[in-house]
Amino acid sequence: MTAVVMSEDEAADLAGALCGIVSDYPMDDPRRTLQDCADRLAADPGGPGRAGLVVILNATSPYAVARIESSELLADMAAALRAALRTLDADACDGGHPHAESAHWDAEEAVTAGARLLTEEHRAYLDPDEYDEEYDLPLEAWTCPKALHAIAAEGVEALEEGLRRLRGEGITDGLDERYLGPDGRVDVRRLVQAGRAWWLGIEASAAGLWTARRIVSGEAATPRDRLALLLALGVCVSAWQEGLGDPYLPAMEAAIGTVDLAAGESPCPHGDAPHPWAATDRGDRPSLVTALFTPNDPSAETFALWACPRNLADLARECLADFESWRAMRTHE
């Protein structure tokens, strides 16, 4: 695909699609739209579409990282911006004009400006002798190599950080100190508090990933800590409304895979009545699990009930159903 100059109608359509993306209400397939922009810039990184496409890829990188979570797309967007960077000299600016800066723009305004910069008509409108100084920046503010270099570099940084997160790098660094007490045991209250707070985004998902990795690694040295980790992971999964993708979902699936579902079908000394996990509403589980270990560990009888293979099988089956819903939700998106 080549970086052709667009007509006003084509640019308006692109601006509408991009505004839908950055406002989190995409009208079309956002992955396809952003891939198209990345391909256009990669095909001609120093051409007439450079300024508009660099602005677009910078302004849409937060959405691509947070919502699309496609390593292929993020890599292509970053590669296109790096290609543009190689055509830009950050020192090739003699001053005397304003610069477009990402810190000062609204995302919808930025992608609209980026799309309009792909048209000859709008570029002519931004001629230093013609543009409306009250509402617009002159063309040189958008095309200045120094300004574009900074915008492209910011986009590359955001996309590369997104790629690192998709690979699971650094997400759980330092969390041992946060979720393990001085005695090396899991701090259930703190872990459950973080894992259930899905509205906090990264903090909650990182707590869930730390929990899942600790289960899979076998670092839960005692039955008490293994139960605490499984219950905390169950709380995290049941509280997360929008679902999680890589690297969280595979790690959580692996952790839940350590539960023996077949053992839950065996005769149980606690009878056929619903066990605690199935008998408790999702919204009540965080406080119930926290109280189970705070201030003291549960009695032997209570521990046996919560650690019962049937109770853990109930937890695991519910998590597996949630994982299936997460995948369906992301496929639909």
Side-chain angles (χ1 to χ4, degrees), residues 9-333:
D9 287 344
E10 290 172 329
D13 289 343
L14 177 59
L18 293 169
C19 284
I21 289 172
V22 297
S23 62
D24 203 14
Y25 289 97
M27 297 179 292
D28 304 305
D29 181 352
R31 185 178 308 194
R32 182 176 300 173
T33 300
L34 298 185
Q35 185 68 59
D36 178 73
C37 291
D39 291 346
R40 287 177 182 270
L41 181 59
D44 191 7
R50 180 177 65 186
L53 292 167
V54 165
V55 169
I56 288 169
L57 293 183
N58 175 301
T60 56
S61 61
Y63 180 92
V65 168
R67 300 291 286 157
I68 300 180
E69 297 183 337
S70 164
S71 57
E72 294 82 3
L73 174 62
L74 299 189
D76 286 348
M77 291 173 68
L81 287 171
R82 280 195 296 269
L85 274 173
R86 290 192 288 270
T87 72
L88 295 165
D89 182 358
D91 297 322
C93 175
D94 56 7
H97 59 258
H99 286 168
E101 297 178 349
S102 62
H104 297 158
W105 66 36
D106 170 84
E108 290 189 46
E109 293 176 356
V111 295
T112 299
R116 295 174 72 190
L117 284 167
L118 299 177
T119 69
E120 290 289 358
E121 293 87 346
H122 188 64
R123 292 169 71 91
Y125 169 78
L126 295 179
D127 181 277
D129 296 326
E130 302 291 338
Y131 82 103
D132 188 335
E133 186 174 356
E134 183 177 356
Y135 297 105
D136 296 296
L137 291 171
L139 183 62
E140 59 188 356
W142 296 99
T143 59
C144 172
K146 183 174 183 178
L148 283 179
H149 190 281
I151 293 169
E154 289 171 4
V156 169
E157 183 179 359
L159 292 161
E160 289 183 340
E161 174 61 22
L163 283 166
R164 285 191 291 271
R165 295 196 68 82
L166 282 178
R167 293 191 291 265
E169 297 176 9
I171 297 175
T172 59
D173 289 354
L175 295 189
D176 283 4
E177 291 77 10
R178 182 179 301 178
Y179 298 129
L180 295 179
D183 56 2
R185 302 202 309 170
V186 174
D187 185 332
V188 178
R189 181 195 61 80
R190 180 172 289 184
L191 184 58
V192 169
Q193 185 179 44
R196 69 178 289 268
W198 56 268
W199 56 89
L200 296 179
I202 291 174
E203 181 179 347
S205 56
L209 182 60
W210 180 88
T211 304
R213 286 177 170 174
R214 196 163 184 86
I215 292 170
V216 172
S217 69
E219 292 179 87
T222 66
R224 179 261 188 198
D225 272 11
R226 174 169 167 78
L227 177 62
L229 290 168
L230 284 170
L231 295 178
L233 181 59
V235 166
C236 178
V237 172
S238 64
W240 200 273
Q241 297 183 355
E242 296 187 354
L244 292 166
D246 293 339
Y248 308 95
L249 179 52
M252 292 179 177
E253 286 180 321
I256 293 301
T258 66
V259 176
D260 185 357
L261 295 179
E265 302 296 334
S266 302
C268 172
H270 306 107
D272 294 328
H275 281 54
W277 191 262
T280 305
D281 291 338
R282 290 188 178 217
D284 295 333
R285 287 170 182 163
S287 58
L288 189 60
V289 171
T290 299
L292 187 64
F293 293 93
T294 306
N296 302 309
D297 286 349
S299 66
E301 181 180 353
T302 302
F303 182 91
L305 177 62
W306 280 86
C308 175
R310 181 170 295 181
N311 191 55
L312 296 182
D314 288 341
L315 180 154
R317 290 193 181 93
E318 182 181 282
C319 287
L320 292 173
D322 284 342
F323 296 154
E324 185 176 348
S325 296
W326 291 3
R327 291 191 184 280
M329 187 188 313
R330 290 180 175 273
T331 299
H332 176 70
E333 289 176 354

